[in-house]
Amino acid sequence: MTVTAVGAVNALPALAPISTSDTTGPSTSGADFGAMVAQGLQQLQQVQQTADDLAVQAATGRLTDVHDYMIAATEANLATSLTVAVRNKALESFNEIMRMQA
């Protein structure tokens, strides 16, 4: 019995390391964080679009390997769950900061 390769799962690009060497000046990581959030949302949208496209192909009978759709749908589900968890943690952090006394 031989094993054939299936469609590759797209890996997330590596994130740049955070530099902590300069702690005396004002922080400029706010723009970097915003860019990372925007990039993450774009990747989420691409993953969901891929799953949607494969779902249409499966429904119309044009998809030869249904497992490709299942993998894409699971990947989209996990990416959405991760995004919601990060959003919830960010909101919790914001609310905690707002409760702090000055």
Side-chain angles (χ1 to χ4, degrees):
M1 178 169 98
T2 60
V3 178
T4 58
V6 295
V9 177
N10 296 332
L12 295 175
L15 298 176
I18 299 173
S19 173
T20 58
S21 61
D22 181 23
T23 58
T24 58
S27 174
T28 59
S29 64
D32 295 340
F33 178 76
M36 287 174 49
V37 169
Q39 180 184 10
L41 290 175
Q42 287 175 348
Q43 289 175 349
L44 173 64
Q45 185 176 6
Q46 289 173 351
V47 167
Q48 288 178 336
Q49 185 62 44
T50 300
D52 290 345
D53 292 344
L54 289 173
V56 169
Q57 289 178 15
T60 58
R62 293 182 291 139
L63 186 64
T64 57
D65 295 321
V66 179
H67 64 273
D68 288 339
Y69 164 67
M70 294 303 296
I71 291 169
T74 302
E75 186 178 343
N77 186 18
L78 289 172
T80 301
S81 296
L82 176 64
T83 302
V84 169
V86 169
R87 181 210 58 188
N88 289 344
K89 285 294 183 181
L91 285 175
E92 287 175 19
S93 299
F94 175 78
N95 287 333
E96 187 66 29
I97 290 169
M98 295 306 289
R99 282 192 289 256
M100 288 182 175
Q101 295 180 358

